[in-house]
Structures are given as structure tokens and as C-alpha cells.
Amino acid sequence: MNQINKHFPNCCKLLFCFFFCPGLISFSYCQIRKANLTQYVDPFIGTGSHGHVFLGALKQYALTTHLQFGKVYAYEVNGFGSFHIMDDANVPSLLSMPYLGAMISTDPVYQNTRRMLLSTENPFFFKGKVAEGVGSPHSGLDLIWPMGIIMRAFTSSNDAEIKKCITSLVATHAGTGFMHESFNKDDPQKFTRKWFAWGNTIFGELIMDIYHKKPALLNI
């Protein structure tokens, strides 16, 4: 199964082409648990009945220790002890794990990982004159994805952070009224994909979620 998964969700090539952690974490903790896919798929195939490349192995092999942030989830591992530390705004991502139901947002390792991903330790976290957020190797440097800002809001329990995310999204649609695939961190008039249904849909979901849980945050 690992050998089939050679791309990020956005079709960019993986670095190691072996173990894409966000996708496998999402699959193992969400779909198998909730949809009972084990009746169709044997997660122990090829593991000598030990499951060393699947369910019980994720927390062991997808984790590494960062000098600044402590124990964190890696974006990719190669099976030989090497780790790729980054995140991509596309879903599934490490940032989006609680949104997908793969773990709770208060999980200590997730919190460490989240702090790391929203810092310059993530090579695709960009901070500019108009906004900050996670981008993607798919679009290149200095381009923030609204989806990354949306996932930051979804996974936050801090009202100030959530409101900051909403404010950033409202301020960076370049007068179009729509979420784009990405925009330049210093100039939202420079964006990719004028129509991006995925981003618009998740933005609508975020607004409805906040409306039902914390409507006062929509007063911006």
C-alpha cells in the first residue's frame, strides 16, 4: 500500500515515496475505526501479522523528536530513520488531523506538531505583509493557501486565533468574494485559481461551524 502512495494530495511527488504520514494516520484512525473497513482490508498484510507498517506502527514510526518543539509527527518517513518535517495546506495534512477526526486537538504531540507547523520550521509556512499561513510545494514559495488558514481555525480553541484567521480570509480574497487556491503573502491580488471549489466549500463549513459554536467571532 505504501508503494502506491507516491504523491501528496495535490499530486506533487513525495520525497521518499514510502510513508505519507497524514494520509495513513487519517486512514487508520478514521476510516478503519468508523467505517469498519477491516472487514474488507486486512491491515496486517505483508507485516508478518505484527502490523509493523500500519495501525500500531504509526505512533512509533511517524514520530520524531524536534529540538525546539519536542515529540512531533513527521510529514514523511522513509522506513530507515529519516524524516521529512513540513506540512502542506492540502487535506489530509498534519494540521488537519483533528478536523478529520484522526486525533483530538488537545493531544500533546499534536499540539507540539501544530506549533512547529505554524512556525518557520515548516518550510511551507509563510508570513508576509497581509497574512501568514501554510502553503504548498504545489504552488511554490510565498503563496499562502486559504485552506491552511481554514484548518488553523478549525483546529484552534483560542478565540483570538480563530478571529485572526477569519479576518485574514476576509481580507485576502482580492475583491472576488471567493477563496482562491493560494495568494501572495504580501499582495492578495496575486493569486492562483480564481475559482477553487474545495477551498470555498471548506470555508463555508468553517463559517457555519463558528456560527453555531461561537457566533460572536463573526463580528469583524
Side-chain angles (χ1 to χ4, degrees):
M1 183 178 70
N2 293 332
Q3 290 301 315
I4 296 174
N5 182 20
K6 295 184 178 181
H7 296 80
F8 296 161
N10 59 23
C11 298
C12 290
K13 281 283 189 178
L14 291 169
L15 181 66
F16 297 132
C17 298
F18 179 67
F19 202 117
F20 171 58
C21 298
L24 290 178
I25 291 172
S26 174
F27 181 75
S28 63
Y29 286 94
C30 293
Q31 297 184 36
I32 285 184
R33 181 184 63 202
K34 294 183 178 180
N36 194 24
L37 295 185
T38 50
Q39 63 181 307
Y40 307 109
V41 178
D42 181 359
F44 297 101
I45 288 176
T47 71
S49 299
H50 300 298
H52 58 271
V53 297
F54 208 75
L55 294 173
L58 285 171
K59 285 194 173 181
Q60 180 177 353
Y61 294 103
L63 292 177
T64 186
T65 301
H66 190 278
L67 291 177
Q68 180 179 350
F69 296 97
K71 190 170 288 187
V72 298
Y73 288 103
Y75 193 74
E76 290 182 74
V77 298
N78 70 350
F80 296 98
S82 294
F83 298 87
H84 189 192
I85 299 296
M86 61 159 281
D87 204 18
D88 186 315
N90 283 269
V91 178
S93 62
L94 291 174
L95 186 62
S96 70
M97 290 296 95
Y99 165 80
L100 295 171
M103 62 186 66
I104 59 174
S105 61
T106 55
D107 177 86
V109 177
Y110 172 76
Q111 282 296 316
N112 290 347
T113 305
R114 189 179 190 275
R115 285 190 290 270
M116 177 186 70
L117 300 176
L118 298 175
S119 78
T120 54
E121 289 299 300
N122 175 7
F124 292 98
F125 178 79
F126 308 116
K127 186 173 183 177
K129 296 177 181 178
V130 297
E132 65 178 36
V134 179
S136 169
H138 179 70
S139 51
L141 297 177
D142 298 331
L143 292 174
I144 298 169
W145 282 48
M147 280 180 55
I149 299 175
I150 291 167
M151 284 302 121
R152 182 175 185 174
F154 262 126
T155 59
S156 177
S157 60
N158 182 284
D159 287 359
E161 183 179 28
I162 296 170
K163 190 158 189 174
K164 180 181 178 181
C165 291
I166 299 170
T167 302
S168 292
L169 293 167
V170 171
T172 55
H173 60 77
T176 66
F178 296 106
M179 296 294 102
H180 303 126
E181 178 188 51
S182 69
F183 62 88
N184 184 275
K185 64 185 180 68
D186 297 316
D187 183 3
Q189 297 294 328
K190 299 176 181 178
F191 59 82
T192 60
R193 297 183 71 171
K194 186 175 182 178
W195 174 250
F196 189 48
W198 191 5
N200 284 305
T201 301
I202 296 181
F203 174 69
E205 182 184 355
L206 173 67
I207 296 303
M208 291 304 298
D209 185 70
I210 295 172
Y211 174 76
H212 288 294
K213 295 177 180 177
K214 300 182 176 184
L217 296 182
L218 297 178
N219 296 322
I220 56 175

